[in-house]
């Protein structure tokens, strides 16, 4: 529409933006409900992961040296892998939990659904995936160290079983992430920053109008 039409009012003294907001109010409510349900479910999962990996971090597998308190498996490569992956899982899980909590406490305004809320959900889902994958790698490392007597042939079945939950979460969450990324960063009406700020630039003329 032309710039003049953006500020014109109808018989009820409503601008096009006001009419659009009124006619799509139910979509805002539905989007808010879906966003809250998704964030609550993901925050519960993130909280469980954080609890598990924190307990694993303070309960050192194999025990400690009674005199110095140093872990007995400190020099083993598998123990180093476990420590690094457990720390990554803890930090990324805590970050995902905080992101989902920030979604639950937001105001859910109409413009928030354009960039802010989808961006937070993308960050939270990516952090949750990283936390889950790191947790599985840490579990496999300590399982190989503590129960497999360092037999290399056991790495294949352990690694294969560890890939199952990772493949499940990727299969289920990847389509959602792709849709969120496309709708947030590949808009069909131009740059999201221009739309969010009320700035519309014509492709056929040299003028620009800013609300």
């Amino acid at each position: 529409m032309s710039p003049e039409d953006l500020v014109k009012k109808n018989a009820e003294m409503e601008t096009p933006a006001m009419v659009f907001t009124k006619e799509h109010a139910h979509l805002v409510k539905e989007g808010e409900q879906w966003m809250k349900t998704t964030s609550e479910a993901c925050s519960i999962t993130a909280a469980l992961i954080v609890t598990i990996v924190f307990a694993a971090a303070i309960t050192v597998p194999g025990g400690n040296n009674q005199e110095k308190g140093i872990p007995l498996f400190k020099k083993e490569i598998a123990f180093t892998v476990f420590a690094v992956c457990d720390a990554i899982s803890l930090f990324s899980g805590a970050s995902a939990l905080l992101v989902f909590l920030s979604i639950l406490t937001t105001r859910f305004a109409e413009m928030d659904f354009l960039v802010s809320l989808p961006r937070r959900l993308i960050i939270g889902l990516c952090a949750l995936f990283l936390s889950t994958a790191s947790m599985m790698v840490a579990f496999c490392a300590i399982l190989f160290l503590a129960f497999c007597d360092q037999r290399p042939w056991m790495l294949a079945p352990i690694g294969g079983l560890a890939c199952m939950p990772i493949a499940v979460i990727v299969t289920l969450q990847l389509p959602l992430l792709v849709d969120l990324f496309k709708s947030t960063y590949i808009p069909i009406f131009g740059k999201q920053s221009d739309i969010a700020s009320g700035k519309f630039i014509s492709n056929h003329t040299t003028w620009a109008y800013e609300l």
Side-chain angles (χ1 to χ4, degrees), residues 52-82:
I52 292 172
V53 296
F54 181 78
I58 62 177
T59 307
V60 180
N64 298 325
N65 189 309
Q66 297 296 329
E67 296 180 357
K68 299 181 179 180
I70 300 176
L72 297 178
F73 292 143
K74 178 182 178 180
K75 297 182 179 180
E76 300 291 340
I77 298 178
F79 184 81
T80 303
V81 173
F82 161 77

Side-chain angles (χ1 to χ4, degrees), residues 151-178:
R151 286 172 286 188
W153 64 269
M154 291 295 294
L155 288 174
I158 292 176
L161 293 175
C163 291
M164 291 178 58
I166 298 176
V168 169
I169 191 173
V170 169
T171 303
L172 296 178
Q173 300 297 335
L174 186 60
L176 176 60
L177 280 174
V178 172

Side-chain angles (χ1 to χ4, degrees), residues 4-58:
E4 294 81 6
D5 294 333
L6 294 175
V7 294
K8 283 185 178 180
K9 297 182 179 180
N10 57 12
E12 299 178 358
M13 302 303 293
E14 296 176 335
T15 62
M18 295 170 63
V19 175
F20 182 88
T21 299
K22 182 178 67 174
E23 294 296 329
H24 295 80
H26 65 285
L27 293 180
V28 176
K29 293 295 183 182
E30 293 176 3
E32 177 182 350
Q33 183 62 35
W34 177 82
M35 191 72 71
K36 285 184 176 180
T37 302
T38 304
S39 299
E40 288 175 356
C42 292
S43 61
I44 292 174
T45 305
L48 290 174
I49 293 177
V50 170
T51 303
I52 292 172
V53 296
F54 181 78
I58 62 177

Side-chain angles (χ1 to χ4, degrees), residues 60-131:
V60 180
N64 298 325
N65 189 309
Q66 297 296 329
E67 296 180 357
K68 299 181 179 180
I70 300 176
L72 297 178
F73 292 143
K74 178 182 178 180
K75 297 182 179 180
E76 300 291 340
I77 298 178
F79 184 81
T80 303
V81 173
F82 161 77
V84 172
C85 292
D86 191 82
I88 294 175
S89 180
L90 177 61
F91 298 145
S92 58
S95 299
L97 180 59
L98 293 176
V99 171
F100 291 127
L101 289 178
S102 70
I103 294 177
L104 293 174
T105 56
T106 191
R107 59 178 181 169
F108 290 100
E110 181 181 0
M111 294 304 298
D112 291 341
F113 288 92
L114 188 63
V115 176
S116 177
L117 288 175
R119 180 187 297 166
R120 293 184 190 184
L121 190 57
I122 291 173
I123 295 174
L125 290 174
C126 291
L128 183 61
F129 167 73
L130 178 61
S131 180

